Amino acid sequence: MNKQILLEGATSASHCIISVMGDHAGEDVATIFNRKIADVRKVKQTLWLIKSPKATPALVQKLCQHKHSYVLFIEPSAHGCAHPTKTAERAIEFSKDGSVWSKLPVGIGPVTGKLDTRAYALVIDALETVHKNVKMDIWCYADFVQPDKPVKMILGCSTICAIKKDMKAHPDKMKSRYRGIIAIARLAEPYCVWVR
């Protein structure tokens, strides 16, 4: 997919997922993106492990009932704010409903992290890094579940389902307003799955 079209789709979408990106399971950000982009080119999809109560499979699947849904991978608010995951357990199965399990797609690279009952993975069919200084305004997004509240990314909850909404006047908005966009992705059915 054309990078500019993907970026425009992601930044103009009414519904999206915002995810703070950092090193993970012994890999730096560039290595992770290169590996996942290779998955998309080779297998036409990749699975991206997340662990956030604000982006469970049920929430992501509900969010994705709206046209195309995208992921904005953004920088942390400050250097050192995104703590790298040290656990690198490797998933071998996925489930879209938590009941029926299947093997991961053949040819897909490792899906790693801490695999417990809260280990989910976004299903992505287009992924591109952003090599220029592109910023997003966090104050233009609200929580998908509680649309009267601004998005809040905190440790342990760095991925969130969001909607486009002007939250500039909200007293509880995040302090850091503008974040660099590291990469953008498009979600594909079933959008988010359990992994083990």
Side-chain angles (χ1 to χ4, degrees):
M1 172 173 258
N2 178 285
K3 185 181 293 194
Q4 190 58 36
I5 291 172
L6 187 59
L7 180 61
E8 288 171 7
T11 54
S12 64
S14 61
H15 296 69
C16 70
I17 291 171
I18 302 170
S19 186
V20 178
M21 186 58 195
D23 297 347
H24 175 80
E27 290 182 301
D28 64 22
V29 171
T31 302
I32 297 166
F33 280 119
N34 288 339
R35 187 164 54 76
K36 296 297 186 178
I37 289 169
D39 281 351
V40 171
R41 290 184 180 146
K42 180 181 173 186
V43 189
K44 307 299 182 214
Q45 69 174 347
T46 192
L47 296 179
W48 190 283
L49 189 83
I50 59 171
K51 288 178 65 85
S52 175
K54 294 281 189 174
T56 64
L59 282 177
V60 173
Q61 290 167 10
K62 186 175 180 184
L63 176 97
C64 291
Q65 292 172 351
H66 306 270
K67 293 196 176 183
H68 290 298
S69 290
Y70 298 89
V71 184
L72 294 164
F73 292 102
I74 63 171
E75 297 172 335
S77 59
H79 181 69
C81 285
H83 294 270
T85 304
K86 293 181 174 57
T87 308
E89 298 169 335
R90 189 169 177 163
I92 57 170
E93 293 182 314
F94 74 96
S95 172
K96 66 179 179 180
D97 59 9
S99 298
V100 179
W101 294 84
S102 303
K103 296 288 184 192
L104 293 186
V106 174
I108 202 167
V111 178
T112 59
K114 185 177 181 183
L115 300 179
D116 57 20
T117 56
R118 295 184 312 110
Y120 318 125
L122 299 173
V123 182
I124 293 170
D125 71 352
L127 175 64
E128 295 286 344
T129 54
V130 177
H131 295 294
K132 53 188 175 180
N133 192 23
V134 179
K135 301 274 187 191
M136 71 171 292
D137 187 349
I138 293 282
W139 292 359
C140 290
Y141 291 87
D143 187 304
F144 174 64
V145 177
Q146 298 174 296
D148 58 325
K149 296 189 175 183
V151 293
K152 280 271 192 181
M153 275 91 55
I154 58 172
L155 199 57
C157 188
S158 59
T159 301
I160 186 169
C161 293
I163 58 170
K164 265 274 180 81
K165 186 176 179 183
D166 187 344
M167 303 302 281
K168 295 180 192 79
H170 198 287
D172 199 28
K173 62 188 178 288
M174 293 189 72
K175 289 180 183 175
S176 62
R177 178 173 181 178
Y178 296 103
R179 301 281 189 94
I181 300 174
I182 302 170
I184 60 274
R186 184 179 65 191
L187 296 171
E189 210 171 343
Y191 313 113
C192 189
V193 294
W194 283 263
V195 290
R196 67 183 187 187

